[in-house]
């Protein structure tokens, strides 16, 4: 009997191992070996489960002669050469359904924190500083929130804005996505109306540096920016300039342009780029370490989503 082997390159929820084993797979875990070592035995595996440890490129896939699927425990597939994998008949399995709730809640939490300066006033009170007038916040009610990208994440954010008495619009490259949570509009209309811009777009060649000086200037009103998607969609130097001149009133960033492709150890380098130094020091900016989809619940749901899709396609 031929053994069906799956290589796990990142740790995941235990249910994944248990249920894949029940489906007849042998799970092999290797969370530390470099890519070059993994390539030496990759031909043994029918499946790979990965988050973002390294890029699965054409050279790697050429050696994976028995590979049937790649499971990405997350939403994006930018660390995989999707076109080449598809040409080799390898199924690509992502799990945006698994962490959409986490991302939607995190984006809302960042917006509320940014509007009410909660991160700043918490530190002030802890230091014995009691300032009220200079810490007046803003209300979401009456604002227009523009969502760029209306897949699982954008939709989850819009759903959680219900009840805030705000207007929610979105733009997406796909048509006919409008639902009860948000109205679909052209990019031009979104740029005319939005007080708040929230990014929920994947990383592609079209979205790299999308939020740059030209895009920012096309926004009619000064606005707040939220990014829980991919850091490289925002040109950080242009963001900093817009924060300085008031075109962007504030930014809540869970992701940064300077992240490693693995999303880990961003501060491993000795010298931080000047725009990043500005963000770190700015009171207009709220930062978190790429954890918008990183909840206890989403860890389980991501794993379950991947398992369910593998079972559906390869049972």
């Amino acid at each position: 009997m031929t053994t069906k082997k799956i290589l796990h390159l990142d740790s995941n929820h235990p249910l994944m191992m248990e249920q894949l084993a029940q489906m007849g797979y042998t799970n092999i875990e290797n969370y530390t070996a470099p890519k070059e070592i993994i390539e030496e035995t990759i031909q043994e595996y029918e499946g790979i489960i990965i988050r973002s440890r390294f890029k699965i490129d054409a050279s790697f896939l050429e050696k994976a002669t028995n590979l049937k699927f790649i499971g990405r425990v997350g939403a994006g597939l930018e660390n995989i050469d999707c076109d080449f994998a598809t040409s080799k008949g390898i199924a690509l399995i992502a799990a945006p359904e698994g962490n959409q709730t986490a991302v939607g809640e995190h984006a809302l939490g960042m917006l509320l924190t940014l509007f009410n300066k909660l991160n700043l006033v918490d530190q002030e009170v802890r230091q014995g500083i009691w300032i009220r007038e200079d810490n007046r916040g803003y209300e979401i009610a009456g604002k227009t929130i523009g969502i760029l990208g209306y897949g699982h994440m954008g939709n989850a954010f819009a759903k959680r804005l219900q009840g805030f008495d705000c207007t929610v619009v979105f733009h997406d490259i796909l048509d006919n996505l409008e639902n009860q949570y948000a109205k679909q509009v052209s990019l031009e209309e979104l740029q005319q109306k939005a007080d708040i811009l929230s990014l929920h777009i994947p990383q592609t060649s079209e979205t790299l540096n999308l939020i740059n000086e030209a895009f920012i200037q096309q926004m009619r009103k000064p606005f707040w920016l939220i990014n829980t998607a991919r850091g490289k969609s925002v040109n950080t130097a242009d963001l900093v300039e817009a924060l300085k001149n008031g075109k962007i009133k504030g930014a809540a960033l869970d992701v940064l342009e300077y992240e490693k492709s693995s999303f880990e150890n961003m501060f491993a380098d000795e010298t931080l780029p000047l725009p990043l130094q500005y963000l770190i020091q700015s009171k207009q900016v709220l930062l978190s370490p790429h954890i918008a989809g990183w909840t206890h619940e989403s860890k389980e749901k991501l794993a379950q989503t991947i398992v369910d899709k593998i079972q559906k396609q390869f049972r």
Side-chain angles (χ1 to χ4, degrees), residues 75-98:
L77 294 169
E78 68 270 14
N79 63 327
I80 301 169
D81 188 331
C82 297
D83 291 338
F84 190 81
T86 301
S87 74
K88 302 287 284 186
I90 300 169
L92 302 176
I93 302 172
E97 306 92 334

Side-chain angles (χ1 to χ4, degrees), residues 100-115:
Q100 61 184 354
T101 296
V103 171
E105 290 186 3
H106 194 94
L108 178 57
M110 292 193 95
L111 177 57
L112 289 167
T113 299
L114 191 66
F115 266 27

Side-chain angles (χ1 to χ4, degrees), residues 37-298:
I37 299 300
I38 298 293
E39 287 180 335
E40 295 176 2
T41 58
I42 194 59
Q43 74 281 356
E44 299 176 9
Y45 298 95
E46 288 192 14
I48 296 173
I49 304 295
I50 189 170
R51 288 201 308 269
S52 304
R53 187 148 74 87
F54 55 70
K55 185 171 179 60
I56 307 248
D57 54 21
S59 175
F60 183 93
L61 292 169
E62 282 282 16
K63 299 176 178 67
T65 52
N66 291 307
L67 198 62
K68 294 182 179 179
F69 64 85
I70 301 170
R72 166 87 212 294
V73 187
L77 294 169
E78 68 270 14
N79 63 327
I80 301 169
D81 188 331
C82 297
D83 291 338
F84 190 81
T86 301
S87 74
K88 302 287 284 186
I90 300 169
L92 302 176
I93 302 172
E97 306 92 334
N99 61 356
Q100 61 184 354
T101 296
V103 171
E105 290 186 3
H106 194 94
L108 178 57
M110 292 193 95
L111 177 57
L112 289 167
T113 299
L114 191 66
F115 266 27
N116 294 285
K117 304 181 183 180
L118 296 179
N119 57 321
L120 302 176
V121 297
D122 173 77
Q123 292 303 312
E124 288 180 354
V125 173
R126 291 173 188 273
Q127 296 171 39
I129 301 170
W130 192 268
I131 297 175
R132 299 181 68 226
E133 184 58 41
D134 289 346
N135 284 317
R136 281 189 184 271
Y138 292 91
E139 297 176 5
I140 296 175
K143 305 290 191 299
T144 296
I145 300 179
I147 296 174
L148 200 55
Y150 205 64
H152 289 278
M153 310 306 172
N155 188 78
F157 180 47
K159 182 178 180 180
R160 279 147 189 84
L161 290 167
Q162 306 306 297
F164 279 92
D165 295 325
C166 58
T167 300
V168 185
V169 299
F170 72 90
H171 175 72
D172 196 283
I173 59 173
L174 300 178
D175 295 325
N176 302 316
L177 297 179
E178 184 170 322
N179 59 15
Q180 68 269 39
Y181 306 129
K183 176 184 177 182
Q184 186 159 10
V185 298
S186 67
L187 180 58
E188 292 74 19
E189 184 174 347
L190 183 147
Q191 290 175 317
Q192 283 292 307
K193 294 182 176 180
D195 299 292
I196 300 149
L197 177 66
S198 186
L199 306 184
H200 299 277
I201 48 180
Q203 182 173 305
T204 67
S205 58
E206 289 76 24
T207 63
L208 287 174
N209 281 306
L210 177 63
I211 310 304
N212 56 20
E213 181 182 8
F215 187 103
I216 293 168
Q217 292 307 315
Q218 288 164 355
M219 298 287 288
R220 185 176 66 85
K221 298 183 277 187
F223 67 99
W224 289 269
L225 175 67
I226 305 170
N227 189 8
T228 55
R230 288 293 182 263
K232 289 180 172 56
S233 294
V234 177
N235 183 303
T236 310
D238 292 350
L239 166 61
V240 167
E241 188 58 35
L243 287 166
K244 290 178 178 178
N245 64 35
K247 184 65 179 184
I248 294 181
K249 294 183 174 184
L253 309 172
D254 180 57
V255 291
L256 293 167
E257 178 182 359
Y258 308 105
E259 288 182 66
K260 304 293 187 293
S261 60
S262 65
F263 308 143
E264 303 289 344
N265 302 318
M266 194 188 71
F267 293 106
D269 297 337
E270 293 183 3
T271 303
L272 298 179
L274 288 176
L276 178 56
Q277 292 182 38
Y278 181 89
L279 295 182
I280 291 171
Q281 296 167 4
S282 175
K283 292 184 177 181
Q284 297 170 270
V285 177
L286 177 67
L287 301 170
S288 60
H290 202 136
I291 57 168
W294 209 252
T295 63
H296 293 286
E297 293 87 352
S298 71

Side-chain angles (χ1 to χ4, degrees), residues 19-34:
Q19 294 187 26
L20 288 174
Q22 292 169 7
M23 292 162 55
Y25 288 103
T26 298
N27 294 296
I28 306 298
E29 301 166 73
N30 192 329
Y31 305 147
T32 58

